[in-house]
């Protein structure tokens, strides 16, 4: 109420009050029903409300003396994010990135399956040749990738706002691609292992097994290069090994 504002402004040299205009969207909410002083008609404006001066200030004579009046209006930023939305932004961005990773994995696996090497491998695997188990292997691999994505979806937005946890989630999301490719590659490289056997192997288990094998091969290459006094070979194998261990 104007008279309440004027009353509170008394006792000062030319006090200032705001004459506020509001619209239907930004008019705020009355607090009379829960105020200790309901007659004051207090109004609570929404979050992200801004004050905009709309005209020249003027002086008005009141019961408490002269008052400086500034005409303003409330402008609400209706597009501003809520606290819940801000807290969930990291999770939202992460899940969107992970979705793109999964879509890319599907395309890559389908492309690999269409190569001559994959066609030749199908001919050497009876189950793949007659029952299209190689195609099911790709579907199974994609399913496992999306299971990891679903696990990430189930975590709370607050979980992603911890830097260490967010970093580990990003690392796992990026690593999923390597895990998916390693599973298909395992079947392509191991001629004595059937397609169905690889299907049953957990995604992460195949990835770690392939990783350990490759690291062992690189260590063997490095030792061989050292024996042959081949410094370039040592450096090349050492760099590859460091990259595999995430040191570079």
């Amino acid at each position: 109420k104007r008279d309440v504002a004027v009353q509170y402004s008394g006792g000062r040299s030319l006090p200032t009050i705001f004459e506020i205009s509001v619209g239907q969207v930004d008019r705020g909410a009355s607090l009379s029903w829960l105020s200790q002083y309901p007659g004051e008609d207090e109004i609570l404006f929404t979050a992200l409300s801004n004050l905009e001066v709309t005209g020249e200030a003027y002086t008005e004579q009141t019961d408490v003396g002269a008052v400086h009046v500034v005409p303003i209006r409330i402008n609400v930023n209706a597009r501003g994010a809520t606290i819940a939305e801000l807290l969930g932004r990291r999770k939202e961005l992460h899940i969107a990135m992970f979705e793109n990773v999964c879509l890319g994995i599907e395309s890559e696996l389908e492309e690999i399956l269409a190569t001559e090497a994959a066609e030749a491998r199908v001919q050497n695997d009876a189950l793949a040749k007659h029952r299209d188990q190689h195609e099911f292997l790709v579907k199974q691999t994609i399913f496992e990738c999306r299971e990891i994505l679903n696990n990430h979806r189930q975590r709370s937005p607050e979980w992603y706002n911890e830097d260490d946890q967010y970093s580990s989630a990003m690392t796992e999301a990026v690593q999923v691609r390597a895990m998916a490719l390693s599973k298909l590659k395992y079947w392509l490289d191991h001629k004595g292992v059937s397609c169905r056997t690889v299907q049953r192997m957990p995604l992460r288990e195949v990835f770690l097994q392939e990783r350990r094998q490759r690291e062992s091969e690189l260590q063997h290459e490095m030792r061989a290069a050292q024996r042959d006094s081949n410094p370039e070979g040592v450096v090349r194998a050492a760099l590859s090994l460091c990259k595999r261990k995430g040191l570079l």
Side-chain angles (χ1 to χ4, degrees):
K1 286 184 176 181
R2 188 186 188 87
D3 57 340
V4 174
V6 170
Q7 178 185 343
Y8 275 108
S9 69
R12 303 172 188 171
S13 176
L14 195 61
T16 298
I17 65 172
F18 293 143
E19 186 178 62
I20 303 175
S21 300
V22 297
Q24 185 68 19
V25 174
D26 44 26
R27 63 181 179 174
S30 173
L31 298 180
S32 301
W33 62 279
L34 52 75
S35 173
Q36 187 176 357
Y37 306 100
E40 294 183 357
D41 277 348
E42 295 165 289
I43 299 293
L44 178 65
F45 293 109
T46 187
L48 302 176
S49 294
N50 301 286
L51 303 179
E52 178 185 356
V53 176
T54 58
E56 293 290 334
Y58 60 92
T59 302
E60 179 180 312
Q61 291 297 326
T62 69
D63 293 340
V64 297
V67 174
H68 189 64
V69 181
V70 181
I72 65 174
R73 67 164 285 114
I74 295 289
N75 278 327
V76 176
N77 182 0
R79 296 184 178 181
T82 64
I83 292 176
E85 289 171 338
L86 289 172
L87 288 174
R89 186 157 292 168
R90 262 192 175 184
K91 178 180 179 180
E92 181 182 333
L93 293 172
H94 173 75
I95 296 301
M97 183 276 293
F98 206 154
E99 279 281 6
N100 287 331
V101 169
C102 287
L103 290 173
I105 288 170
E106 291 182 31
S107 297
E108 284 192 81
L109 294 181
E110 293 293 343
E111 288 176 7
I112 294 173
L113 211 56
T115 61
E116 292 183 1
E119 288 292 336
R121 180 69 179 91
V122 168
Q123 299 304 315
N124 293 323
D125 190 324
L127 287 174
K129 183 177 180 181
H130 299 293
R131 299 186 183 178
D132 296 329
Q133 287 296 310
H134 57 300
E135 294 180 1
F136 186 76
L137 171 61
V138 169
K139 292 178 182 178
Q140 173 67 21
T141 302
I142 294 170
F143 173 80
E144 290 182 83
C145 293
R146 291 202 168 272
E147 279 291 290
I148 298 174
L149 170 58
N150 289 334
N151 289 337
H152 284 221
R153 277 202 182 98
Q154 291 171 9
R155 293 169 181 161
S156 68
E158 291 77 15
W159 189 92
Y160 288 91
N161 289 325
E162 295 292 334
D163 290 341
D164 290 344
Q165 293 174 169
Y166 182 69
S167 177
S168 68
M170 290 291 289
T171 299
E172 185 174 40
V174 172
Q175 201 175 59
V176 161
R177 174 183 174 273
M179 288 194 285
L181 295 179
S182 69
K183 186 161 185 173
L184 186 57
K185 186 175 182 296
Y186 185 89
W187 173 66
L188 293 173
D189 292 346
H190 294 76
K191 302 296 190 276
V193 181
S194 73
C195 194
R196 181 168 291 181
T197 300
V198 180
Q199 288 172 18
R200 295 169 180 166
M201 297 171 67
L203 194 66
R204 200 180 304 275
E205 179 184 313
V206 178
F207 172 71
L208 293 175
Q209 185 173 324
E210 283 286 283
R211 185 173 181 174
R212 286 192 294 267
Q213 181 178 338
R214 182 55 184 153
E215 287 175 1
S216 176
E217 291 171 355
L218 288 171
Q219 290 172 346
H220 178 74
E221 289 177 18
M222 192 162 57
R223 287 193 293 268
Q226 289 173 333
R227 286 196 302 270
D228 297 339
S229 300
N230 181 3
E232 291 183 1
V234 173
V235 171
R236 185 167 55 251
L239 286 174
S240 297
L241 186 60
C242 288
K243 287 179 181 178
R244 286 219 158 235
K245 289 184 174 293
L247 300 176
L248 292 176

